Amino acid sequence: MSDSPGWASPGSSPSDPPPSSGGGASGGGSEGRPPLGKTPGASGSGAPGQQPPAAPQGWGAPPPPPPGQPGWGGQPGWDQWNQPPAAKPGVIPLRPLGVGEILDGAISTARAHWRTVLGIALAVAVMIQLASTVATGVWLRDNSGLQALETETEPTMDDLREALNGTLSTLGVEMLATLIGTVVATAMLTVVVSRAVLGRPVSLGEAWRDSRPQLLRLLGLTLLVGLIVISAIALGTLPGVLLAASGSTAGGAGLALLGGFAGVLVAVWLWVRYCLSAPALMLERQGVIAALRRSARLVRRSWWRIFGIQLLTLVLVFIIGMIIQLPASLLAPVLSGDGLEGFLSGTTAEMSWTYLTVIGIGAVLSSTITLPLSAGVTALLYMDQRIRREALDLELARAAGVPGHGQQPSGDVPGNAPGT
């Protein structure tokens, strides 16, 4: 049995009271799911006492597995292959998903609701890149300290101070803009995915109206997860830094390197453990701490699978982003007057406004394409884990009006969780 609070897409009105902590959202985990191919409420596959007909076996076919046991290689038994496919009211079939189906669901969401998805991603990407370009142009374009670091072998302390101040100021503005943009994009795109799974349309205004009440909580959650991850790395390197400060430079450096590596491993483990907290907060209307606990429960015993899917998504996002940005990276030095030779030689191009603008356009196009992919995969991973653990597919089928699963009142999404 599960202790889930049910399915709560933002914007829907409460319809049913939340189940008790020992009850599942839809009948309780795998126990609440009917046998494959049956609809809820079906009494059986035949008359009482009558066994289903045995599947015909060809030459060399292995015998069927014992009743109630999975087939060969962990696959479904032979008696399950002829069952009807799972319902698919939206972008994913309502059953446990494979890696390809999760990626395809994220892409299908962007295709089915391209106006809303691209509108969200484009607006956020323009906001982030505009702040980054302006900050870079103001603090780094004519920074004499930064130029001294590139040309002089012995820069003065004033040069170092000016270069550091300009770099930190630019980095601070970029991080703030990225944080705000990521929170807004994650919130709105998660709402879009939750509607796309049910096959329901959603406009840009509806996505903003439904996600807006949770933005501050999502901002706090994002900051807290980032603080947890960074703290793991900092605590790993701290003993080595203290040892080096006490006089043992070589030993401290080695210990800091070893501790930093261990800290990175812990940080990755924590990041995967809490990577489903954002959709839990948005779709269940959880509080920050409750969303972290919810993510930890959903990830438990599936850490390696979720890590693999998230890593694959990061690699795909990086490759797609590099491909989209490559033309801008080649064109920017040519239009700014440095020529293509500077890019090929690896020298630093002059940060003119033309150069920054062309690079910024490439970054906007890259983010517009990759933001929906990463946000969609995370939201669908959350739903997949709930389908596997809590039979969420039955709730979704009822909400989508799939025949044989009961009807949900028009406009409602089932099982709202109380806000915490």
Side-chain angles (χ1 to χ4, degrees):
M1 305 293 285
S2 71
D3 56 354
S4 68
W7 171 255
S9 180
S12 55
S13 58
S15 56
D16 298 315
S20 62
S21 60
S26 50
S30 59
E31 299 90 340
R33 187 194 309 278
L36 193 60
K38 295 182 181 180
T39 57
S43 59
S45 58
Q50 182 178 358
Q51 298 295 328
Q57 299 184 37
W59 292 102
Q69 298 296 324
W72 299 99
Q75 300 299 320
W78 293 102
D79 60 336
Q80 296 182 8
W81 286 113
N82 293 326
Q83 300 297 337
K88 188 179 179 182
V91 295
I92 59 170
L94 300 184
R95 56 169 170 73
L97 304 174
V99 178
E101 290 170 325
I102 292 176
L103 294 173
D104 180 70
I107 297 172
S108 298
T109 300
R111 286 203 308 259
H113 305 281
W114 64 271
R115 289 186 180 86
T116 303
V117 170
L118 293 185
I120 295 169
L122 181 61
V124 169
V126 168
M127 184 270 292
I128 294 175
Q129 196 56 43
L130 183 61
S132 176
T133 300
V134 171
T136 303
V138 169
W139 280 298
L140 297 182
R141 189 170 62 90
D142 296 322
N143 192 305
S144 59
L146 190 62
Q147 295 172 359
L149 292 181
E150 297 174 353
T151 58
E152 299 180 9
T153 56
E154 295 182 1
T156 64
M157 289 301 298
D158 290 337
D159 292 335
L160 292 174
R161 188 179 301 108
E162 184 176 357
L164 184 62
N165 288 339
T167 302
L168 291 179
S169 299
T170 303
L171 184 61
V173 171
E174 291 179 353
M175 290 179 62
L176 180 61
T178 302
L179 174 64
I180 296 175
T182 301
V183 167
V184 173
T186 300
M188 297 181 69
L189 290 173
T190 301
V191 172
V192 174
V193 173
S194 71
R195 302 297 176 84
V197 168
L198 301 177
R200 296 180 179 176
V202 56
S203 66
L204 190 63
E206 290 172 338
W208 168 251
R209 184 176 62 251
D210 293 346
S211 61
R212 184 174 55 188
Q214 293 292 92
L215 287 179
L216 287 180
R217 287 183 176 181
L218 186 58
L219 176 61
L221 175 67
T222 305
L223 289 173
L224 182 57
V225 171
L227 180 62
I228 291 173
V229 171
I230 294 174
S231 297
I233 301 175
L235 290 176
T237 58
L238 183 60
V241 173
L242 295 178
L243 183 60
S246 66
S248 180
T249 306
L255 182 59
L257 184 61
L258 183 61
F261 179 73
V264 169
L265 294 180
V266 174
V268 171
W269 182 80
L270 289 171
W271 172 70
V272 175
R273 178 180 173 87
Y274 297 128
C275 69
L276 303 183
S277 56
L281 182 143
M282 291 299 303
L283 299 180
E284 297 178 16
R285 299 179 183 176
Q286 298 276 9
V288 173
I289 302 301
L292 291 176
R293 293 173 179 168
R294 186 80 170 107
S295 176
R297 287 196 296 269
L298 292 174
V299 172
R300 189 179 303 144
R301 296 188 300 276
S302 299
W303 190 95
W304 283 107
R305 177 176 179 272
I306 295 175
F307 168 73
I309 296 175
Q310 292 283 37
L311 181 61
L312 176 61
T313 304
L314 289 177
V315 172
L316 290 176
V317 165
F318 176 78
I319 293 175
I320 294 172
M322 289 294 293
I323 292 174
I324 296 175
Q325 283 186 293
L326 183 59
S329 300
L330 294 173
L331 193 60
V334 175
L335 295 180
S336 63
D338 291 335
L340 193 57
E341 294 80 5
F343 175 82
L344 297 176
S345 62
T347 58
T348 304
E350 180 184 356
M351 292 186 182
S352 64
W353 284 112
T354 302
Y355 177 86
L356 294 174
T357 300
V358 175
I359 290 294
I361 292 174
V364 166
L365 294 177
S366 174
S367 298
T368 301
I369 300 300
T370 56
L371 267 176
L373 177 61
S374 56
V377 167
T378 300
L380 291 175
L381 259 178
Y382 159 83
M383 297 179 197
D384 177 57
Q385 285 301 110
R386 289 199 59 188
I387 288 174
R388 293 171 181 269
R389 301 283 180 85
E390 303 162 2
L392 180 67
D393 50 335
L394 303 183
E395 290 275 351
L396 296 176
R398 280 193 290 269
V402 176
H405 290 78
Q407 295 294 327
Q408 186 71 19
S410 177
D412 267 357
V413 178
N416 271 295
T420 55

